[in-house]
Amino acid sequence: MKILSSGTYSDRLVSYSVIFSLIWSILGMAAGVYVALELVIPTIDFGQEWLSYGRLRTLHTNAVIFGFGVTALMGTAFYSVQRTCHVELFSPRLAWFCIIAWQFTVLLGGLSLLAGWNAGKEYAELEWPIDILIAVIWVCFGIVFFGTIAKRKVKPIYVSNWFYGALIIVIAMLHIVNSLAIPVTISKSYSLFAGAQDAVVQWWYGHNAVGFLLTGGFLGMLYYFLPKQADRPIWSYRLSIIAFWAFTYSYIWAGPHHLHYNAIPDWVQTLGMVMSIILLAPSWATMVNAVMTVSGAPQKLKTDHSLKFIVLALAFYGLATFEGPMMAIKSVNAVSHFTDWTIGHVHSGALGWNALITFGTFYFLVPRLFNTQLYSKRLADIHFWLAISGTMLYILAMWGAGISQGLLWLSLGDLGELSYGFREIMASMQPYYILRVIAGLVFLSGAVVMIYNFFRTIAGRKTATVQIPAPSTASEQQVTV
């Protein structure tokens, strides 16, 4: 029987988004290793302001989150929404604008940070002209995504699109509100909010930059690419929808747990703590759902490198979403706040969850986008072990450093005075910081191996043309992945 077609998928822009994301991953991780080395050898900045820790550290976070992470989310959202809707992207030209303009904006933002333009807000350091560019591109991203869903040929909206959709809507709201500012010059502005209000708005944004960008968006990636790679449907579709709504309504309230023991109302701090603990339920519901999905494909899990990365990422997702609520408890936060424990927690999520699931997704995507076989499965396995080794070393180093800092800062003498000074405590951190540099180099080397593998895979090839199926019967009008 001849299969009817209704056009082709817009996959070439997905190929470019993967390539751009990989470039940003190397640049961002290299900057991270460099700033980690600066805490061991401070003179490595050579007296250059643009190489200082304060500037390179913000470049690292922005390149990794917005360059590597968001570019990957755009590409995978465009790839999966077409296939779950059985249509080409709404306005492919606008989609191309989103991909290319985003790279330009991240590059411009990185250069501005090296030049010293900094708004002074975590994950929102970019100044007002670049904030406007981000908002415009993000709205265009939403137009393409929701426009594609609006013209879908299948009635159900698959769960991955729910997460990508929530990501687009909530991040737009968070970014626009938190970036409201009064410009003074082209390179300087002042927040429209002040004092405690500014802090609450910032961490409403800051935590949900993690929550809806680095969690919600990547859950959209998980719900599409895990079933595809495991070749099995989601274990419980109903559970995935319940987890989505519980996640969406709970996460938005968790931000105040970053402000324990600060000048905001105590009830706001308590609310942030309670909602953080409640988040255990939807987070682990998703993890259980994914584990049960992949449990039906044990043999494939042993041999499929893409599935290995995704399942390993799932394990770190479970770890990070358990550790976060525990650190939100005030008695625990008294030890962890302002220590490297927080850095360890962030990277257990960033390296273990976000980076690994993206790597696994790329191992799935690259051969399919270019209609070829992966150049070397052995190199993929080497990357897997370098990635898990680097992640574990990093987390252990920062856990050791952070818990030591917290306990030492809380140590009091007989007269109630601090037993140890800040300088003494930080001097004792050198072994942990050296281990962090090693961990970063191990993880970065794995990413370099992956990029070499992909380069050899796609060398001399063009993005494959994939025909869009044309559902013609009632039985075909079901969502498929």
Side-chain angles (χ1 to χ4, degrees), residues 144-168:
V144 175
F145 185 82
F146 290 111
T148 305
I149 291 177
K151 70 172 190 175
R152 68 189 184 278
K153 293 182 179 178
V154 289
K155 185 177 181 180
I157 300 176
Y158 185 64
V159 67
S160 63
N161 294 327
W162 291 50
F163 278 100
Y164 281 123
L167 157 79
I168 293 169

Side-chain angles (χ1 to χ4, degrees), residues 21-22 24 59-60 73 114 127 156 165 193 266 274 304 352 367 381 387 463-464 475:
S21 179
L22 291 171
W24 285 118
L59 174 69
H60 161 62
L73 288 174
L114 290 179
E127 275 292 352
F193 310 99
D266 189 64
V274 171
D304 193 298
D381 288 333
T463 304
S475 62

Side-chain angles (χ1 to χ4, degrees), residues 20 62 113 124 353:
F20 286 136
N62 278 265
L113 291 171
W353 161 237

Side-chain angles (χ1 to χ4, degrees), residues 180-378:
L180 292 174
I182 302 172
V184 179
T185 66
I186 192 70
S187 63
K188 186 60 187 172
S189 63
Y190 292 97
S191 175
L192 199 63
F193 310 99
Q197 289 80 11
D198 190 34
V200 172
V201 171
Q202 158 58 24
W203 283 110
W204 170 69
Y205 162 88
H207 188 79
N208 288 295
V210 176
F212 279 89
L213 191 63
L214 300 181
T215 307
F218 286 87
L219 287 176
M221 192 185 294
L222 174 76
Y223 272 114
Y224 180 82
F225 290 98
L226 176 65
K228 285 291 290 183
Q229 195 61 10
D231 197 22
R232 294 180 60 82
I234 283 291
W235 178 65
S236 173
Y237 194 81
R238 179 175 296 178
L239 181 59
S240 69
I241 298 300
I242 293 172
F244 167 80
W245 287 111
F247 171 87
T248 303
Y249 278 110
S250 302
Y251 223 114
I252 203 79
W253 298 94
H257 73 222
H258 288 267
L259 298 169
H260 284 333
Y261 308 109
N262 279 279
I264 65 171
D266 189 64
W267 70 266
V268 177
Q269 300 177 39
T270 303
L271 176 65
M273 178 183 72
V274 171
M275 297 307 293
S276 300
I277 296 172
I278 289 173
L279 270 170
L280 276 169
S283 298
W284 278 52
T286 295
M287 189 181 68
V288 169
N289 207 359
V291 168
M292 294 303 293
T293 299
V294 80
S295 65
Q299 291 303 120
K300 195 169 186 180
L301 182 57
K302 293 178 182 179
T303 58
D304 193 298
H305 43 273
S306 176
L307 199 57
K308 287 181 182 178
F309 272 99
I310 294 174
V311 172
L312 179 62
L314 190 64
F316 280 107
Y317 172 74
L319 170 65
T321 54
F322 174 78
E323 183 183 31
M326 295 304 103
M327 293 173 70
I329 298 172
K330 288 186 177 180
S331 56
V332 178
N333 197 263
V335 178
S336 69
H337 204 42
F338 296 130
T339 73
D340 286 319
W341 186 353
T342 303
I343 310 302
H345 167 62
V346 169
H347 283 79
S348 70
L351 298 178
W353 161 237
N354 301 120
L356 294 187
I357 192 172
T358 305
F359 294 159
T361 297
F362 285 174
Y363 276 114
F364 172 87
L365 275 178
V366 170
R368 286 164 177 79
L369 287 170
F370 293 90
N371 193 27
T372 186
Q373 296 292 318
L374 186 68
Y375 170 70
S376 172
K377 291 185 177 182
R378 179 175 175 78

